[in-house]
Each structure stands twice: as structure tokens, then as C-alpha cells.
Amino acid sequence: MPVSTENMVKVFERPNSLNESQFSYCPGCHHGVVTRIVAQTIDELEIRERTVLVAPVGCSVSMYQWFRCDGTQASHGRACAVATGLKRVNPNLIVFTYQGDGDLAAIGTAESIHAANRGENITVIFINNQIYGMTGGQMAPTTLLGQWATSCPDGREGSLAGYPLRFAEMVAQLEAPVYVTRQSVYDQKRIMATTRAIMKAFRYQVEGKGYALVEVLTNCPTNWKMGPVEANRRLADEVVKTFPLGDLVDRGQSG
Amino acid sequence: MGADTIDKVLMTGNEAMAEAGIRAGCRAYFGYPITPQNELLEYMSAHMPQAGGAFIQAESEIAAINMCYGASAAGVRTMTSSSSPGISLKMEGISYIAGADLPCVIVNVVRGGPGLGNIAPAQGDYFQATKGGGHGDYRMIVLGPSTIPEATEHVMLAFELADKYRGPVMILADGMLGQMMEPVVLPKPVDPATLPAKPWALTGAKGREPNIVTSFYLDPEELNMMDVKRESRYRQIEEQEVRYEEHETADATVVIAAYGSVARIARTVVKMARGEGIKLGLLRPISLWPFPYAPLRAIADRVDAILTVEMNAGQMVEDVRLAVAERAQTPFYGVLGGLVPTPKDILREVKRYAG
Ligand SMILES: Cc1ncc(C[n+]2csc(CCOP(=O)(O)OP(=O)(O)O)c2C)c(N)n1
Ligand code: SF4
Ligand SMILES: [Mg+2]
């Protein structure tokens, strides 16, 4: 039976910063949640017409196709360098990168650290799903010890493959960053906290305060070979032990 | 007094190319130190901020070329420079710049190689510059100046070509051109505000549809379309942008083909040879891509030999042979390791084919 929408109130809609196209993420993937939060933030700050997004190489490679703002696509790992170039020649732009753990913390470690160390006035959204999603589930620098991946079939062995890289902690050692935080989206409370963190990171950029990093612990149901509910449980019970949640640096409050 | 107030100055090639860049309206320079190119970066560090542009000493050549990608995507005239090992690191970025149809000027002050090689002048990067270097089907306009005044002009030209054809343009200099001093007449400064608008640039989607700068097209049909479009631009470049110089070729029986610093030495050889009654000429490719195949072919029909001289093991000679197609002899003389051929050495080679 057709349902009449006449007396209904719209309480949830697509952010204005997104166009009509569908995300290419797998069902149940947290990428979609975080991407949507970014779009909402752009709406709320009314910065869509000033925003340039820098997509990485990873599952969010074609992110610029879903947003109604200017966008580009960087080579694997170099998003922070591309963002630096954009922002330095046009400081009026709001520039953000959105990068996976392989992109940001393996191949792009140098670019990511040095943009942070220069205090580039950009926002970096770091999707830590502890795996290489796009290429089919290989080990990432953030893969937990003992975690299975297609390129560590016996589980990650620290003495051979290194240890989970805590990028937020590394960046928090630097003098320039104004905001460094680690969040997750495995439940409603965490989604709200991530929303607030991403809002703060963008707001600091709008206010000219400088570099902000929001690391978000996310899932990869496809390559973890887990249902979304089980994946949420893994994040809450296991992953947060290696990657503790919370703000590491917030130098933007005053002034 | 800064170079911006005088028009004729004595400068090193590196400094002259940097100043020419600023005068060409370049407002973004990103680089990383490497000899024999350092003075270009250092000059930019002092003068680019004064011109109101962006300067960053990047953490690597990879970062520098990707900063160029970003700045160019924002619509600003953008430049980077390096020397051979650093240019190798830039190659992925250059491929992305070509794939995303972005203008960018890259100066390579070539040094001895492969590997760390040395810091002496060389021409071992000809293949890398003209035949690809980075991955995928792209071409890059490559200019090979042979004097500092010409290198200065080439910077201005490179920015014009990069904007016109929307792609990377390389100036293939060498350690000698970078380090040597010569009087140069600096070009009149271009006000970036007067340059043609770049409606494709990422300036914020205000009052228009979003602009996208990308080299990523998952659908083969779509990528094919982009590639074919770019290819047709490359054909246009081949038709319109071939540059070369002929010197004393009208009655020549032997012609030297040489570019860059070697061509400069070859001019001396022509004079020496003519003094001894040898009818020697010089064809100097100025654009190394697009290569002057047709002019070489025309000369090949009337001479006995075209002697290619390079500071490498024989790279441009392959293009010369392609052009000549056995219409004349095509010997090669090269010096390696960062050594520079003397006029006497070259003349001795010439004599093997003259008369
Ligand atoms: C230079 C280069 N090396 C490797 C690849 C292949 N590649 C594509 S995506 C990717 C890893 C992506 O993982 P991550 O950054 O964690 O993003 P995710 O897909 O998990 O969101 C790799 C290695 C590439 N495109 N370019
Ligand atoms: S592969 Fe993993 S990270 Fe990528 S979209 Fe699918 S679930 Fe998400
Ligand atoms: Mg990942």
C-alpha cells in the first residue's frame, strides 16, 4: 500500500554537500559514515563553495565524484603534499584530505608527517581500518598484532612485520598541530563524538588556526571477513586497546 | 639591488632561470636541495615570498612535485627544479600531472649518472625526459637550452606552453648551464592577474558546477576518451612546437647534431673546421620533444654524415637515426661520467667523415 508523505516531517536527509550519486563503499562499511559526517560538517559551516577535497588512493579514491565541491585525486600517499600546494597558493580555500592507513601512514608517511610539522592549515581525516581495503585485504601499518590479512596469513608478527603504527601519537609529538584526536564510529555515542571532532578540525581551519588530524578507527567488513555487528564489537573490544580513543592535542581552544 | 630592478645582469643559469620563473608569473615553487641545482631553490626562497608567491623547501622531491600538482590545480603558475636523481623521484608525480592535464614547469639541471653518479654536467637523462620516464601514455614538451640567455627565455616559453597545452614542460639543462655565469637580459615581468583565466581550476564551486582535477577514470571507455583527447593535443604540439637552429648547414658535407651545452661547444668546432676548409654545419634541436625529425631528414639528403655528439652513451642519436633513416651516415661521439668533450676531440671525430 502506498504511504502518503503528506503529513511527514523530514528529519534526516542527504547533506547538501553531497550530490545524488551513490558511495562505492561496501555495505556496512564505516567509510560511508565518516564521509557523510564530513559532508554534514561542510554544510553546517557553510563552506561548500570554498572547499577543495583531496581524495587518496584507497576505497575513497573517487570521493570527489560524490561531493558538490571542487575536488582532486592525489597519487598514493601524497594527499597532504597536494593539499599543501592548494592551500598555500589560495589560503581562502578550505582544504581537506581523506586518507586510509596505507595511504597516510605507509607510503605517505613523509608527506603526512611533514605537512603536520609545518602546521599546514588543512584538515586531515585519517581512516584507520587496519587493512588495505581497496587492494583486497593486505596488511596495513596499523594492522593489529596477530591479525590476519592476505599478506600476513599467519597473523601479523611484530618482529618480522613491525608493530601497529600509532600515527596520531606520532603527530601529537610535533609542535605545530593544533588538534590531534582519535575517534571511532562503532556506536551512536562514538559517531556523535566523531562528528564533534570533525567539526572542530574544520572549524579550526576556517578560523586559520592550523593543522588538525582526526584519526577514525573504522571497520572493513569485506576484508576482515566479518559482519558489521561483529566488526563493531571487534573495534570496541580489541582495536581500541591498541589505538586508545580521545583527544591527544587541542591547542585551538584559546584565542 | 635586486634583479627585479635591472634588466641586464650577470647571473648563474640557476639564478637566471629562477628569476625568469618569477617574471613569467610563477607564484608557486617547491623544491628540494640537490647539486648542481641548489642556487635555483635558494634564489626562490629569497625572492618568491617577495613576489607574493608560495615557496616551500619540501621534505623530498616527491613531496615537491605533488605540491606543484596542488598549486597548479588551484590555477597558479607553478615550478619545481631538481637534478637527475631528484627528477627520477618526481616521475610518478609528472605522470599524474600529465594525466590530470595540469600545467607545470620542471627544470632538470642534469648531472652524471646513473645512481648517485656525480655532480658534473651530463646529458644522460635525455631518454627519461623525452621518452616517458613516468608511467602511462603521456608526452612532455622538453626544451634544451644551450646558453643562459636561452635558458632564461625558455622558462617564459615553458610557462606559456604548459598553460596552452595543459601539461608538464621540462627544461633539460645541465650542470654547466646551471653553474656558469653569463650576462642575461631578463624578460619583462608578467602580472599573473593578466594571464588568461583557467576555468577548470579548483577555486571553490561558487556559482558553478564543481571542478574536478583527476587522472583516474575507472571505465576504460572514459579513460580512452581522455587519452585520445590528450593524444590529439600531442599531435598538435608535434605540428606547431618543433624548434631547432641550423648553423652553417647550407653548403655542409658533414653536420653535427647536438643540443644543450654540447651544441655550444659544437659552434666552436664549426668555426675551427671552416678555418681548415671543412664544410661543417650544426643542427641544434631546441625542442627535444617534439623532436625536429623533418629538418634533420631534409639535411640528411644533402650531406655525407650527421655526427651526433652527446654527453652520454648515445641517446638523442636514436632520434637522429630515426629521422635520417639511412639517407646519410649517422655516427655517434659521446663522453660519459660527467666529462665534457673538447672542441679538439669533436673536430677529430668530424675529420673521420669529412672529405
Ligand atoms: C604507487 C602505488 N602503489 C600501490 C598502489 C595500490 N594501492 C591502491 S589502494 C592501496 C592501499 C589502500 O589502503 P588504505 O590506504 O588503507 O585505504 P583503504 O582502501 O583501506 O581505505 C594500494 C596499495 C597504488 N595505487 N599506487
Ligand atoms: S573494502 Fe573494506 S574499507 Fe573498502 S569499502 Fe569495502 S568494507 Fe569499506
Ligand atoms: Mg585501510
Side-chain angles (χ1 to χ4, degrees), chain A residues 49 64 70-73 111 118, chain B residues 59 69 204 208 211 213-214:
Chain A
E49 295 180 333
Y64 52 80
D70 281 3
T72 185
Q73 197 286 312
E111 288 75 12
R118 288 189 303 266
Chain B
E59 58 272 27
Y69 180 104
R208 60 159 169 76
N211 280 344
V213 169
T214 187

Side-chain angles (χ1 to χ4, degrees), chain B residues 52-308:
Chain B
F55 167 87
I56 297 177
Q57 179 175 324
E59 58 272 27
S60 71
E61 289 85 352
I62 298 175
I65 192 72
N66 284 286
M67 289 174 189
C68 287
Y69 180 104
S72 178
V76 171
R77 282 194 165 178
T78 301
M79 180 176 183
T80 185
S81 62
S82 188
S83 178
S84 312
I87 295 291
S88 290
L89 285 181
K90 287 186 196 292
M91 277 298 160
E92 184 206 34
I94 291 172
S95 167
Y96 271 73
I97 283 170
D101 297 326
L102 290 172
C104 183
V105 173
I106 301 126
V107 177
N108 183 359
V109 185
V110 181
R111 60 188 249 176
L116 194 54
N118 61 25
I119 57 172
Q123 295 183 322
D125 299 358
Y126 179 92
F127 281 155
Q128 185 196 48
T130 62
K131 307 295 176 199
H135 58 285
D137 269 323
Y138 78 92
R139 309 286 336 212
M140 174 163 65
I141 296 176
V142 182
L143 301 171
S146 99
T147 65
I148 295 174
E150 190 181 32
T152 312
E153 283 167 34
H154 280 184
V155 172
M156 185 67 80
L157 175 63
F159 277 105
E160 282 162 18
L161 294 173
D163 278 355
K164 180 170 177 194
Y165 295 104
R166 286 185 60 182
V169 177
M170 179 175 278
I171 295 178
L172 196 65
D174 61 53
M176 197 165 7
L177 279 163
Q179 297 290 317
M180 206 165 61
M181 279 185 129
E182 257 186 289
V184 281
V185 178
L186 291 165
K188 288 252 167 311
V190 172
D191 177 358
T194 63
L195 293 169
K198 294 175 176 170
W200 48 264
L202 307 181
T203 54
K206 192 181 166 107
R208 60 159 169 76
E209 286 300 300
N211 280 344
I212 287 170
V213 169
T214 187
S215 62
F216 180 56
Y217 298 92
L218 199 53
D219 173 11
E221 291 290 344
E222 220 183 324
L223 181 59
N224 170 69
M225 206 178 73
M226 295 308 291
D227 285 348
V228 166
K229 240 165 85 179
R230 201 171 301 114
E231 280 302 315
S232 78
R233 249 172 21 238
Y234 292 156
R235 297 295 86 77
Q236 196 188 335
I237 292 170
E238 285 173 333
E239 276 163 32
Q240 295 178 7
E241 307 300 346
V242 171
R243 289 174 168 80
Y244 63 98
E245 183 196 12
E246 285 190 41
H247 176 62
E248 307 258 15
T249 54
D251 63 342
T253 56
V254 178
V255 164
I256 293 176
Y259 76 95
S261 290
V262 178
R264 188 181 189 139
I265 301 164
R267 284 183 85 95
T268 310
V269 180
V270 170
K271 203 167 168 198
M272 285 162 63
R274 294 261 163 190
E276 295 183 27
I278 300 167
K279 288 182 178 157
L280 180 66
L282 167 68
L283 186 136
R284 178 170 76 90
I286 295 173
S287 57
L288 302 177
W289 191 82
F291 189 77
Y293 291 108
L296 263 161
R297 195 167 304 134
I299 286 179
D301 283 330
R302 27 177 235 264
V303 300
D304 298 329
I306 298 181
L307 170 69
T308 303

